[in-house]
């Protein structure tokens, strides 16, 4: 069992930056692939980014490459999502998730544990 708590979401102007954090407790953090997803009302939750256990490999939704960066600090049991050049369409609740396997990191069903989400609002 692992517990995930996101933080860092807030209201920001378009063009600004935010860094989200996801703190994990419970089982060994480094055992998990970590992912970020986001969801807006009326839409399905969508993949944002993922990072492998050691942090060597990262993966992104095609539309977000170059603006978002995922990283992790296994010593701090924390995964981060750096978001730059934010756009109003980035407005969503952002969730972090943990997966024990890594077959399909972009699929919601691959993840075993989820945080409660943090709201990011980008104003135009």
């Amino acid at each position: 069992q692992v517990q995930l708590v996101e933080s860092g979401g807030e209201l920001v102007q378009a063009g600004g930056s935010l860094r989200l954090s996801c703190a994990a407790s419970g089982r060994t953090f480094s055992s998990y692939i970590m992912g970020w997803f986001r969801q807006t009302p009326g839409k399905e939750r969508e993949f944002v980014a993922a990072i492998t256990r050691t942090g060597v490999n990262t993966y992104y939704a095609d539309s977000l490459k170059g603006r978002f960066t995922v990283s992790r600090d296994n010593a701090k049991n924390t995964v981060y999502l750096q978001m730059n050049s934010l756009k109003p369409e980035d407005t969503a609740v952002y969730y972090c998730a943990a997966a024990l396997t890594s077959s399909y990191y972009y699929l919601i069903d691959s993840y075993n544990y989820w945080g409660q989400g943090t709201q990011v609002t980008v104003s135009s």
Side-chain angles (χ1 to χ4, degrees), residues 59-121:
Y59 307 94
Y60 300 92
D62 288 342
S63 62
L64 301 176
K65 287 180 181 178
R67 294 197 299 123
F68 287 18
T69 302
V70 61
S71 62
R72 67 190 296 163
D73 186 338
N74 286 344
K76 295 182 178 180
N77 285 4
T78 302
V79 62
Y80 304 97
L81 183 67
Q82 178 68 42
M83 306 185 294
N84 298 327
S85 302
L86 283 163
K87 305 175 181 180
E89 51 263 43
D90 294 319
T91 295
V93 177
Y94 283 72
Y95 298 89
C96 73
L100 286 169
T101 60
S102 59
S103 298
Y104 301 100
Y105 54 85
Y106 52 89
L107 294 179
I108 293 172
D109 289 345
S110 295
Y111 292 83
N112 307 94
Y113 304 102
W114 292 83
Q116 83 291 347
T118 185
Q119 176 70 49
V120 172
T121 303

Side-chain angles (χ1 to χ4, degrees), residues 9-56:
E10 63 180 68
L11 173 64
V12 63
Q13 287 191 336
S17 298
L18 279 178
R19 188 177 80 157
L20 305 182
S21 298
C22 173
S25 60
R27 291 183 59 180
T28 305
F29 177 69
S30 59
S31 300
Y32 293 92
I33 304 295
M34 297 300 296
W36 285 97
F37 290 75
R38 67 185 184 184
Q39 188 171 23
T40 55
K43 293 187 176 181
E44 293 186 356
R45 195 168 296 187
E46 64 174 0
F47 172 73
V48 172
I51 186 167
T52 53
R53 296 175 180 86
T54 61
V56 170

